[in-house]
Amino acid sequence: MTVPHALSTLLSPLLGLGGRTALVTGAAGGIGRACALRLAAAGAEVRAVDRDAAGLEALAEQARDLSGGIEPHVLDLMDLDAAELAAAGADVLVNNTGLPGGLGETENRLIESGVLLSVRRMDTKPAIRRYQASDEAVVVDLWSRASKLAHPFIEGEGEGERARKLREIYLREAENWIAEEAGDVIALLGLLGNEIGGLFVDPRAQGRGVGRALVEHAATLRGELRLGVFEANARARGFYELMGFEEREHQLDEESGHPVIIMVRPAR
């Protein structure tokens, strides 16, 4: 993979990094993967962080003959304590996740001290447009994979009757917005008035700021936003908290029987 020109310019001074430690988030693919390989080639020991275990394994194999090394860390950066621990002692930080909170004090320390390089949120904004009927097949497939990952506690999630309701009700009645990257549909957000009825990001595109971009788009359209999130979906709850949503009430989801937390983000 070729490092994009802008990043190549940023990374060009990082030569002879033997004995240095670099942390690269979102390292299993795209820009994060390219940066990890470039840093390892310069001699750094790279802590490669991502949720994609297979992608990290492939990255480590690709870097096997480089002068530095790749140390895979399968990690969900919504676990801020684990993220801080992974970043501790790093000399170089490439934060490619697009997370609103960054990596806390470790990132601040690197920025303030100017130690080698700190690049924050190297994600690019996705293109956002209205859903079209021709998107149905790819959106249903995306929703199925994302919802199974997010809701393993719901029997039959991502298929059967729930898939039928998505196709025949939600995709027709909600105001649906699509995020695209290089022409590929990577996320769906559905609005019912000022309520986010659903936000689903392709698992392969998660952690790159796509969900954040769609939420901000919805806020631009509606101002105050409301949503319900399953209590058992800790990752989504953490994301919405970082996006400024506050818990207001608890209730049971009529269809699944699982507890749901109602969250509100005031207009800004």
Side-chain angles (χ1 to χ4, degrees):
M1 176 176 290
T2 302
V3 179
H5 176 71
L7 279 178
S8 181
T9 300
L10 282 169
L11 296 174
S12 61
L14 301 181
L15 301 174
L17 294 182
R20 299 288 192 173
T21 299
L23 177 80
V24 180
T25 66
I31 292 174
R33 182 186 187 89
C35 289
L37 290 170
R38 181 65 179 268
L39 289 164
E45 293 298 321
V46 179
R47 298 173 189 165
V49 174
D50 205 293
R51 297 175 64 209
D52 182 354
L56 289 179
E57 183 179 349
L59 171 65
E61 176 64 23
Q62 187 176 353
R64 184 173 54 181
D65 296 327
L66 299 179
S67 57
I70 298 286
E71 180 182 302
H73 288 260
V74 180
L75 175 65
D76 187 339
L77 289 177
M78 298 305 292
D79 183 346
L80 297 182
D81 290 338
E84 286 273 11
L85 183 61
D91 301 303
V92 179
L93 170 63
V94 179
N95 184 6
N96 186 50
T97 64
L99 286 176
L103 289 175
E105 291 304 314
T106 300
E107 182 170 10
N108 293 336
R109 174 181 60 79
L110 287 170
I111 292 171
E112 292 168 3
S113 64
V115 177
L116 295 179
L117 171 71
S118 180
V119 180
R120 186 175 183 187
R121 298 181 195 165
M122 298 306 299
D123 56 302
T124 56
K125 291 184 177 180
I128 296 176
R129 63 168 175 82
R130 286 292 298 268
Y131 166 84
Q132 301 172 358
S134 58
D135 297 317
E136 181 179 306
V138 67
V139 163
V140 171
D141 174 67
L142 178 159
W143 164 82
S144 177
R145 290 182 288 109
S147 59
K148 287 178 180 179
L149 180 65
H151 307 146
F153 46 86
I154 297 180
E155 184 177 355
E157 179 63 297
E159 55 191 36
E161 179 65 10
R162 294 178 73 84
R164 183 194 67 78
K165 287 184 176 180
L166 176 74
R167 289 192 304 269
E168 298 180 7
I169 300 175
Y170 304 129
L171 290 180
R172 297 181 183 182
E173 297 184 2
E175 178 184 329
N176 293 298
W177 292 88
I178 293 294
E180 286 185 322
E181 189 175 79
D184 295 326
V185 175
I186 56 174
L188 167 74
L189 179 142
L191 281 172
L192 297 165
N194 73 332
E195 179 179 355
I196 296 178
L199 171 60
F200 298 95
V201 180
D202 189 317
R204 294 168 295 190
Q206 291 179 8
R208 302 212 300 262
V210 179
R212 173 167 54 88
L214 280 168
V215 170
E216 294 295 356
H217 180 74
T220 299
L221 295 174
R222 295 291 191 272
E224 181 179 276
L225 295 172
R226 300 175 59 87
L227 58 84
V229 59
F230 285 109
E231 186 176 294
N233 190 353
R235 185 168 191 268
R237 288 166 51 198
F239 167 76
Y240 289 124
E241 287 172 0
L242 288 172
M243 291 298 299
F245 285 82
E246 303 168 354
E247 292 189 17
R248 291 294 173 86
E249 61 181 287
H250 292 239
Q251 60 187 40
L252 287 180
D253 177 58
E254 293 183 1
E255 185 175 352
S256 69
H258 286 276
V260 170
I261 300 172
I262 304 302
M263 306 184 76
V264 175
R265 172 172 146 160
R268 298 179 178 179

